Amino acid sequence: MRPETVAVLGPILRDLASSGVDVRVDEDWQPSARHDPDPSTTVMVWTPDGSGTGVLVGEPGAPVDVEALYLASDAVHDAVVEARWAMGLSTAWPPCAWHPGGHPMILRVHDGKVVWTCSTVGTVACCLGDLCSGSPA
């Protein structure tokens, strides 16, 4: 993968190891001109059900800001939850660390980082990219 793709999608792809859904990142996808004037800034993330989600990864060499990381990861998270539903799996992914089986955790920006949080009370579980390691935020 190109460095800008790794910078933006690397953390969510690490977290997907526990999702039960394998995604494919297509950096050669060419959006129509009306969607993105520079195709090098967008990749397509494909889920096993054939659904694709366009994700903005930014210009080659440009720094990645927290908002871009959040937006890209949130889009991939949504696609994975939909793919899990299509596969007959629980859509509560990732399961809440405090309420397993009750609801999924959600992504949000907290103290300048993208983090997984309880969607009910907002407690931070870990930073994006650290879901499988259980490292605190």
Side-chain angles (χ1 to χ4, degrees):
M1 278 192 273
R2 295 187 300 250
E4 61 273 15
T5 304
V6 171
V8 173
L9 292 181
I12 190 70
L13 294 178
R14 282 193 304 276
D15 287 348
L16 288 179
S18 69
S19 73
V21 176
D22 291 322
V23 298
R24 181 175 57 85
V25 177
D26 183 357
E27 293 179 298
D28 295 323
W29 174 71
Q30 296 294 314
S32 68
R34 72 177 199 276
H35 288 104
D36 187 357
D38 182 0
S40 70
T41 66
T42 305
V43 299
M44 184 65 82
V45 177
W46 297 99
T47 55
D49 65 352
S51 298
T53 301
V55 178
L56 185 65
V57 295
E59 300 285 337
V64 177
D65 67 15
V66 71
E67 182 178 354
L69 185 61
Y70 167 78
L71 292 172
S73 298
D74 193 51
V76 172
H77 176 244
D78 288 347
V80 167
V81 167
E82 289 178 21
R84 286 179 57 87
W85 177 81
M87 296 166 66
L89 300 172
S90 168
T91 57
W93 183 84
C96 179
W98 295 273
H99 310 106
H103 58 85
M105 288 194 289
I106 59 169
L107 290 166
R108 70 179 177 110
V109 176
H110 175 75
D111 289 340
K113 300 176 190 173
V114 180
V115 296
W116 289 107
T117 63
C118 171
S119 61
T120 304
V121 295
T123 306
V124 175
C126 64
C127 288
L128 175 67
D130 290 337
L131 188 63
C132 296
S133 69
S135 297

